[in-house]
Amino acid sequence: DLSLKPVLRADLGEMEGIPLTQPICSTWDQVWKFKARPDDLLIATYAKAGTTWTQEIVDMIQQNGDVEKCRRDTTYRRHPFLEWYLPESSGAGYSGLELAEAMPSPRTMKTHLPVQLVPPSFWEQNCKVIYVARNAKDNLVSYYHFHRMNKGLPDPGTWEEFMDKFMAGKVLWGSWYDHVKGWWKAKDKHRILYLFYEDMKENPKREIQKILKFLEKDANQEILNKILHHTSFEMMKENPMANYTKELQDIMDHSVSPFMRKGVVGDWKNHFTVAQNQKFDEDYKKKMADTSLVFRMEL
Ligand code: A3P
């Protein structure tokens, strides 16, 4: 279908030096002027760091463990993806801004924006933000497979080529390194709960309890167990309201690589050669020399 051409495998534009899709660039003024409300909650991540998982946990907390309520719609529509825009002509029209504006409060939204591109009203309104970070190597592997299966993103090229682009920050939403460091700094000034994918894998109960406390919510043992069960990788993989099989059907091809791919820590070891690992580590040391932020690459 030729009408899908404009978004499929299109090149990226740029906003303030950050690579973003052309449709996001074309609506950037509206994104920047977005009016946050004080009771908005923002879930922010670098893409593929565990956004969908965190969204499901947060929804389960907000619905007091009511699984049926969490099935009311897909992740993509339960939580507006703030900056994301796909024109109707793409065959998969979506406007995160319109969805957010139409949503009654209290709203929960998702973003992949680096901290400096978050609409200023979120800070003016002192909104709460949950940020989730994932170690660079697993994040890169996940992003590579996501580019292969998602035709709305630029062609990733070979694994080696994609690794170089990731290291250079020449991928959608920019440098992973700047993203995690920027949000890490921001947490000292704003109401940000900074979580790690690796911690969530190691002890999901402990991390869910952190989220509960941050949201000033309670959950008894029974509800906590329900949240744990419903948000496990195995359950989410089979959940059509969370696994993206009901959305973006012309754009995502789960037969190339499923959205719910592996959900583990350390899969990078199946992708990096010894030489690639050495090159990546050397560069990583330089890029992460100016931060106290530490990641675990394995459990
Ligand atoms: P993999 O590609 O490594 O499997 P995002 O939601 O930010 O796009 O992140 C997607 C990544 O999170 C994918 O990683 C996906 O499998 C993983 N994921 C999704 N739900 C998960 C869950 N409940 N537990 C663990 N990992 C999950």
Side-chain angles (χ1 to χ4, degrees), residues 276-290:
Q276 284 168 349
N277 195 37
Q278 212 161 20
K279 178 172 104 176
F280 192 91
D281 282 345
E282 268 170 38
D283 177 71
Y284 186 92
K285 247 195 220 153
K286 284 184 212 150
K287 291 198 167 103
M288 299 298 277
D290 58 347

Side-chain angles (χ1 to χ4, degrees), residues 163-207:
M163 179 185 280
D164 287 338
K165 279 186 260 190
F166 182 91
M167 286 165 59
K170 301 236 178 293
V171 288
L172 177 54
W173 288 295
S175 160
W176 173 92
Y177 312 85
D178 292 344
H179 207 281
V180 296
K181 287 192 289 185
W183 278 97
W184 183 247
K185 254 193 175 163
K187 80 176 187 337
D188 301 330
K189 284 192 296 192
H190 303 290
R191 294 206 289 175
I192 298 170
L193 176 68
Y194 199 107
L195 300 174
F196 295 90
Y197 182 94
E198 294 73 28
D199 294 348
M200 290 168 65
K201 281 300 292 187
E202 180 183 63
N203 192 339
K205 193 170 183 173
R206 179 189 62 205
E207 300 308 303

Side-chain angles (χ1 to χ4, degrees), residues 59-124:
D59 202 27
M60 277 293 275
I61 290 173
Q62 289 168 341
Q63 310 305 330
N64 295 309
D66 188 329
V67 172
E68 282 317 307
K69 282 192 185 157
C70 292
R71 284 198 229 278
R72 70 193 177 283
D73 213 334
T74 60
T75 313
Y76 197 54
R77 300 188 181 274
R78 275 181 279 161
H79 300 149
F81 182 0
L82 191 65
E83 67 272 24
W84 196 244
Y85 177 62
L86 289 173
E88 287 299 334
S89 62
S90 71
Y94 184 88
S95 165
L97 288 175
E98 274 178 25
L99 270 181
E101 276 153 16
M103 184 167 273
S105 289
R107 304 180 292 188
T108 297
M109 290 166 279
K110 154 193 171 179
T111 185
H112 290 316
L113 291 170
V115 70
Q116 73 276 16
L117 290 189
V118 169
S121 62
F122 282 96
W123 312 125
E124 288 156 16

Side-chain angles (χ1 to χ4, degrees), residues 8-37:
L8 294 192
R9 297 300 186 200
D11 288 333
L12 297 171
E14 213 174 81
M15 206 42 68
E16 312 278 334
I18 304 295
L20 297 172
T21 64
Q22 303 281 2
I24 297 177
C25 291
S26 73
T27 51
W28 184 253
D29 286 352
Q30 287 150 265
V31 176
W32 188 249
K33 281 190 282 192
F34 179 75
K35 281 199 174 63
R37 306 172 193 156

Side-chain angles (χ1 to χ4, degrees), residues 223-242:
I223 292 180
L224 195 53
N225 286 336
K226 262 197 206 166
I227 299 175
L228 273 167
H229 180 68
H230 179 76
T231 61
S232 69
F233 179 76
E234 292 69 28
M235 289 298 286
M236 283 184 61
K237 190 175 170 72
E238 302 306 324
N239 179 356
M241 291 309 188

Side-chain angles (χ1 to χ4, degrees), residues 45-53 55 110 112 134 138 141-143 145-146 197 201 231-234 236 244 258-264 267:
T45 57
Y46 190 79
K48 309 319 285 177
T51 329
T52 315
W53 187 10
Q55 286 176 269
K110 154 193 171 179
H112 290 316
R134 185 179 195 182
D138 284 326
V141 167
S142 185
Y143 211 11
H145 289 295
F146 190 57
Y197 182 94
K201 281 300 292 187
T231 61
S232 69
F233 179 76
E234 292 69 28
M236 283 184 61
Y244 280 90
F259 184 94
M260 294 291 166
R261 194 183 60 89
K262 280 199 175 170
V264 298
D267 186 44

